[in-house]
Amino acid sequence: MKCSLLSIDLAKNIFQLCALDAQRNVLFNKKVKRSNLIHELRQIEPTFVVMEACYSANPWGRRIEKLGHNVKSIPPFLVKPFLIGNKNDANDALAIAEASLRPKVRFIGIKTIEQQDIQSLQRIRELFVKQRTSTLNQARGLLAEYGEVCDKSPIK
């Protein structure tokens, strides 16, 4: 099958696949089980695939790219204005497609495993620094209640 745009609303078990042709007409908007997504995408000629940026967008993006598709993700706050009707998977997939067609949309590329590893380490470090600062502030506050005032800088 040939389409010009394929949008995917990712979820835990059931995904929504929406395909548009070159004139932006909906070819199909159907539910696909997690286990069948790659099989369904093999049936479609390589095209532009867009999905909402979420926790599973990068691993799915890498799998889909291996099939020859050009995959990008889009921040959820850019999709929200294009949601028409009630919030459901079919409308979400259509909103993702509509948002991706806007001229000034900012796409997020799919991260490699190495990029995800670095991002994870940075987030863990940020959390440790935040927890250290919190613990030091709490200890300083408790000591101040007993009349012991400490410097703000961490102990080295």
Side-chain angles (χ1 to χ4, degrees), residues 46-66:
T47 188
F48 182 61
V49 177
V50 65
M51 59 187 82
E52 225 171 7
C54 68
Y55 69 95
S56 64
N58 288 309
W60 277 111
R62 287 190 295 269
R63 289 181 202 148
I64 296 167
E65 281 179 339
K66 285 180 184 176

Side-chain angles (χ1 to χ4, degrees), residues 6 20 43 61 69-70 74 107 111 117 127 138 141 149 151 156:
L6 191 62
L20 301 182
Q43 311 305 315
H69 296 285
N70 177 17
I74 186 168
F107 291 108
K111 291 181 179 71
D117 290 345
L127 179 62
Q138 185 176 18
V149 178
D151 287 340
K156 295 186 181 188

